[in-house]
Amino acid sequence: MKAGYYMGDFTYQVQDIPDHRPTGNEVKIEVAWCGLCGTDIHKFQGKNGASKVIPPIILGHECSGIVTDVGEECKYFKPGDRVACDPSWSCGKCIWCKQGFPNFCEERHGVAKGFSEYVYPPEKNVYHIADSLDLEDAAFAEPLSCAIHGMDLLQIASGKRVVMYGMGAIGSLMLQLIGLTGAREIIVVEREEEKRKLALELGATRAVTDAEIEAIASEENMDYVIECIGLKKTMEQAIHIAGKNGKVLLFGLGDPDQPVAFNQFEAYTKEVSIYTSYLNPRTTERAVALLESGAIQTRNIISAELSLEEMGEELKTQTYARKGKVMVSLSGKH
């Protein structure tokens, strides 16, 4: 089977590797679609993603597909099942798993490397999807589950004002989740005009630039601020514009070499709370349910459908990733 590897030193290769019969509780899945995540780009650039990166590694983790075979210990899946994957495996036994934090598992590792024609996750990481849900849409289950975890941490109360930075793929999903909270107003901060238009289409009340939000925040209290870009400048501004009793979620993956600085006294006088969000503990089933319900739209977020071979150039240039979600077509089935 073919698989797309990050080899280190800004190098990407598609290689032929053997596939195998699944054993134990493995579910063999023919991958239909896999989304390109910002963490894949971080890895390609020689930085860590959610974990330390030691190349060569197969990229991708936002995948969906069709079961082709199962191991002898599998109970809940069979060939032909349409599924989505949670790529993050946890042991269930360490001190963090026992406390209900599988995202901090001491043995956590990825089990669905989606830039390959087949993946073999254990069945506890596999989720049935309805026949009505397109497999390309189902590949959004993983990023959506991460956004749901961030929203769980923030606990947005209805009737409040919410600011969100960034209309990339994850911001476009987060915006729609914010819309389900009953917010009185949703202000999206985005420099690109086309993305501001998309924000209004997906439920934003206002879409403004980073310069404009400063003036708005000086007149109105910003109850919640969510940063979905990961840039030092926008994370610092997100903390700055938060209002009294404001809550800030730094969701975007920042550069570890560019630590964020903020005025502690200003945050103190406003009693600002700052949150971060790591992975997707126990939120995949809810993500699948939202996608099946039609409450979350994905098609207007997709900027390109590329092959494994085309991903080498995309990782270098980010031509389409800057515009939205890049979807890698493996089997291309729907």
Side-chain angles (χ1 to χ4, degrees):
M1 68 176 181
K2 293 191 300 182
Y5 278 84
Y6 164 59
M7 304 299 293
D9 194 27
F10 294 88
T11 302
Y12 171 85
Q13 290 182 4
V14 177
Q15 300 183 6
D16 284 314
I17 60 175
D19 63 351
H20 63 270
R21 287 287 309 275
T23 60
N25 61 8
E26 286 182 329
V27 179
K28 183 177 181 179
I29 300 167
E30 179 189 32
V31 178
W33 298 91
C34 184
L36 174 66
C37 179
T39 59
D40 294 314
I41 296 171
H42 271 248
K43 293 171 185 177
F44 182 76
Q45 295 172 340
K47 303 169 186 176
N48 291 326
S51 304
K52 186 176 181 180
V53 175
I54 303 175
I57 59 167
I58 300 174
L59 293 176
H61 52 269
E62 304 175 358
C63 59
S64 64
I66 298 174
V67 176
T68 61
D69 200 358
V70 297
E72 65 277 5
E73 297 175 12
C74 285
K75 294 175 61 179
Y76 300 105
F77 295 91
K78 64 183 185 306
D81 286 347
R82 303 167 76 256
V83 297
C85 299
D86 175 3
S88 188
W89 180 88
S90 56
C91 71
K93 302 174 184 178
C94 73
I95 187 171
W96 295 111
C97 285
K98 287 181 177 179
Q99 291 182 74
F101 301 111
N103 48 329
F104 301 144
C105 175
E106 295 178 351
E107 299 182 45
R108 189 189 65 80
H109 61 273
V111 291
K113 304 294 187 180
F115 280 22
S116 61
E117 292 182 303
Y118 294 95
V119 292
Y120 300 82
E123 67 175 339
K124 78 171 187 175
N125 286 73
V126 183
Y127 293 79
H128 289 282
I129 63 171
D131 290 341
S132 58
L133 181 61
D134 190 285
L135 285 169
E136 189 171 8
D137 297 323
F140 281 81
E142 195 278 340
L144 181 59
S145 68
C146 292
I148 290 172
H149 178 53
M151 293 290 287
D152 286 351
L153 293 170
L154 206 54
Q155 290 288 298
I156 295 176
S158 60
K160 297 290 187 177
R161 183 177 286 113
V162 184
V163 179
M164 192 201 76
Y165 281 77
M167 279 298 293
I170 200 69
S172 299
L173 295 174
M174 188 74 79
L175 171 58
Q176 295 179 76
L177 291 176
I178 297 167
L180 299 175
T181 67
R184 64 179 288 194
E185 186 174 24
I186 306 172
I187 305 172
V188 167
V189 183
E190 170 58 60
R191 287 186 175 182
E192 296 184 25
E193 183 178 0
E194 285 301 310
K195 290 185 177 180
R196 291 199 297 272
K197 291 178 181 178
L198 176 60
L200 295 173
E201 292 173 12
L202 291 178
T205 311
R206 286 186 273 180
V208 302
T209 65
D210 50 345
E212 292 170 328
I213 194 62
E214 291 272 1
I216 295 170
S218 69
E219 299 291 332
E220 305 169 25
N221 197 71
M222 302 296 134
D223 300 302
Y224 300 91
V225 185
I226 305 175
E227 202 277 357
C228 292
I229 303 174
L231 294 177
K232 173 181 170 68
K233 181 178 180 179
T234 49
M235 287 191 281
E236 290 175 347
Q237 189 186 58
I239 297 170
H240 171 63
I241 68 163
K244 291 179 172 61
N245 196 38
K247 294 176 174 57
V248 180
L249 173 63
L250 302 180
F251 191 87
L253 180 60
D255 187 333
D257 296 325
Q258 296 188 34
V260 171
F262 66 96
N263 187 321
Q264 185 273 340
F265 185 78
E266 179 185 50
Y268 156 70
T269 58
K270 293 189 292 187
E271 207 168 77
V272 171
S273 300
I274 300 173
Y275 297 77
T276 61
S277 178
Y278 186 57
L279 303 179
N280 58 338
R282 301 193 177 104
T283 50
T284 302
E285 186 172 0
R286 291 158 60 194
V288 170
L290 280 174
L291 290 167
E292 289 175 340
S293 75
I296 302 296
Q297 302 301 311
T298 63
R299 288 312 168 99
N300 47 4
I301 302 173
I302 297 171
S303 58
E305 298 173 342
L306 303 178
S307 68
L308 270 183
E309 289 76 11
E310 291 171 316
M311 288 310 301
E313 184 65 21
E314 175 61 20
L315 286 163
K316 292 178 183 176
T317 65
Q318 299 167 48
T319 300
Y320 299 104
R322 297 181 195 278
K323 300 176 182 179
K325 174 63 76 174
V326 174
M327 301 301 293
V328 184
S329 175
L330 280 304
S331 78
K333 293 179 180 179
H334 293 277

